[in-house]
Amino acid sequence: MNLEWSAEQLALHNRLREHGGSPAPGQSGGGGASWQALAADQVMALPVPVEYGGLGHSALTCAFALEGLGYGCRDIGLLVSAGAHMWAVQHPIVKFGTPQQKATYLPGLASGTLTGAHAITETETGSDALAMEAVAVKDGTKYRLSGRKRFVTNAPLADVFLVYATLGQQFGFTGVTAFLVERDHPGLKVEAEYQKAGLRSCPWGQVVLDDCVVDESRRLGAEKQGSKIFASVMAWERTLLLAPLLGAVEAQLEECVQRSLSRRQFRRRIASFQSVSNRIVDLRVRLESARNVTYRAAWELADNEESFYPEMVKLAISEAAVATFEGAMQIFGGYGYTEEAGIEERLRDALGTRISSGTSDMQRSVIAAKLGMR
């Protein structure tokens, strides 16, 4: 793996590193202006082929660019929202979509004028995502979709939904099929979801399919190919969704170093206390480990989606982020516990990343299975 970044890659990383869409400390970001700031910086266009209005970058270049973005934009919720749009909607359309589907959706998704949402989770399935109850009944050249999806990222704002349903409970996961359904399509309704503890600028919602009839032209991929599409989504999402947090963690660690050098207690800089310096060193080691496994996963992603690296990335970054923001709160002391410092918001956001796109325990379980221990 060659990590000698090209001039183009470095320029892209550095441009996004200076992204101005970050909210002030203690303030939630998100909203149309921030989303539009990302769109103006062509963030959503990064992986989309050039012929559909994108930049056509590789997964490795995307990882490096998004790391820079996370350093400049501290709104983790907004970055997760954009990541779900890119990796769980754009990517499967690029890989499995028909020419007509690509021409219809990718230009708008790449420009940010369309927002995508990935609707698979249900109330009783959770981590067992493919054990779904939503059904798609075939009727000639149409499908009748019925069911309810929960915790759908971007649902309140989405224009197009990637929805999964099974052709029959008797088929199990082999019957799962994917569909592209637009927001105003008859039979699709978006309802409110619980307010979250963090990731406030990454909105959730429920998607209700009530006798939602769609033409077969809305099917993404072949019948019963939904599990394959979902597996590809998970590989790309787990590798790249949290890449911005590498930059956010780096920025937080820099602030911790500065704090340890400027804050004095007992007539000494607190950096001179081993409990402080050791904590920062350990957090830096976590960051470098997460960064390296991210680059390794992204480097081979296009050729090998079935390795255990995507799950390692998701696990390593989410756990490193939680540890970093919790450690920063300790280093900043009483001020670190205030809203003004902004650390508590980032910690609440990071806690959510250990759950979304598969919990940390699920990542460990999948890795164990891929190592032949299940």
Side-chain angles (χ1 to χ4, degrees):
M1 181 174 60
N2 182 6
L3 284 183
E4 295 182 2
W5 303 109
S6 69
E8 180 186 11
Q9 289 170 320
L10 284 169
L12 178 60
H13 172 89
N14 291 333
R15 176 171 65 81
L16 293 179
R17 189 180 171 97
E18 298 173 358
H19 178 82
S22 173
Q27 295 181 354
S28 296
S34 293
W35 181 270
Q36 289 307 315
L38 295 187
D41 274 338
Q42 295 184 289
V43 172
M44 294 78 157
L46 285 170
V48 175
V50 174
E51 59 265 36
Y52 296 109
L55 300 177
H57 287 305
S58 68
L60 183 58
T61 297
C62 287
F64 189 47
L66 291 170
E67 179 183 345
L69 177 65
Y71 183 95
C73 177
R74 306 297 289 276
D75 184 354
I76 296 172
L78 174 64
L79 300 178
V80 170
S81 177
H85 164 96
M86 294 164 66
W87 309 118
V89 182
Q90 283 181 340
H91 163 71
I93 295 176
V94 169
K95 183 169 182 177
F96 298 97
T98 65
Q100 181 60 46
Q101 289 169 341
K102 293 177 183 180
T104 298
Y105 296 113
L106 288 179
L109 293 171
S111 68
T113 57
L114 292 180
T115 301
H118 185 255
I120 189 166
T121 301
E122 299 179 1
T123 302
E124 299 301 325
T125 57
S127 296
D128 189 10
L130 294 175
M132 62 183 61
E133 296 182 358
V135 294
V137 178
K138 185 75 176 290
D139 182 10
T141 61
K142 298 185 182 298
Y143 297 86
R144 193 176 302 274
L145 309 180
S146 299
R148 178 183 291 267
K149 303 295 181 176
R150 299 290 306 276
F151 312 123
V152 179
T153 298
N154 293 336
L157 306 175
D159 302 288
V160 58
F161 297 83
L162 176 52
V163 176
Y164 298 78
T166 181
L167 297 181
Q169 298 296 329
Q170 70 273 21
F171 295 118
F173 74 93
T174 64
V176 176
T177 304
F179 302 89
L180 294 168
V181 188
E182 295 179 5
R183 185 182 193 87
D184 59 358
H185 195 87
L188 185 146
K189 182 172 63 173
V190 177
E191 294 183 350
E193 189 58 270
Y194 297 119
Q195 180 66 283
K196 303 188 299 298
L199 297 172
R200 298 286 177 86
S201 50
C202 177
W204 275 359
Q206 300 184 50
V207 176
V208 180
L209 303 166
D210 184 8
D211 200 25
C212 181
V213 179
V214 298
D215 188 78
E216 62 183 359
S217 63
R218 298 282 185 176
R219 190 185 66 223
L220 183 66
E223 281 191 351
K224 303 182 181 180
Q225 199 178 24
S227 58
K228 182 177 180 180
I229 294 172
F230 179 65
S232 182
V233 165
M234 287 296 95
W236 284 74
E237 184 175 272
R238 288 170 176 170
T239 299
L240 296 163
L241 177 70
L242 301 185
L245 266 72
L246 296 172
V249 165
E250 180 181 5
Q252 185 69 75
L253 287 177
E254 289 179 359
E255 292 175 6
C256 287
V257 171
Q258 293 166 3
R259 175 74 171 185
S260 72
L261 294 173
S262 63
R263 175 69 168 166
R264 301 183 70 87
Q265 291 286 277
F266 305 101
R267 298 187 298 276
R268 297 164 58 187
R269 293 175 174 174
I270 64 172
S272 67
F273 299 128
Q274 274 193 321
S275 60
V276 173
S277 60
N278 284 355
R279 175 178 280 119
I280 294 175
V281 168
D282 288 346
L283 293 174
R284 183 73 196 198
V285 170
R286 275 182 177 265
L287 169 61
E288 294 302 331
S289 297
R291 174 181 281 140
N292 288 334
V293 74
T294 300
Y295 292 163
R296 172 60 187 267
W299 177 62
E300 67 170 44
L301 184 57
D303 297 321
N304 182 13
E305 295 182 353
E306 298 180 2
S307 77
F308 51 67
Y309 286 111
E311 286 75 29
M312 289 182 67
V313 171
K314 170 63 169 57
L315 179 63
I317 296 180
S318 62
E319 296 290 343
V322 170
T324 297
F325 298 131
E326 184 178 31
M329 188 172 289
Q330 292 293 322
I331 291 166
F332 276 75
Y335 177 67
Y337 196 57
T338 67
E339 291 185 359
E340 178 68 23
I343 300 172
E344 58 84 26
E345 181 180 5
R346 292 192 283 274
L347 176 57
R348 287 187 286 107
D349 289 347
L351 288 169
T353 69
R354 297 199 305 187
I355 298 172
S356 61
S357 195
T359 65
S360 290
D361 287 337
M362 274 302 302
Q363 308 309 315
R364 294 184 177 95
S365 180
V366 172
I367 294 169
K370 289 182 176 180
L371 291 173
M373 293 186 287
R374 291 286 190 275

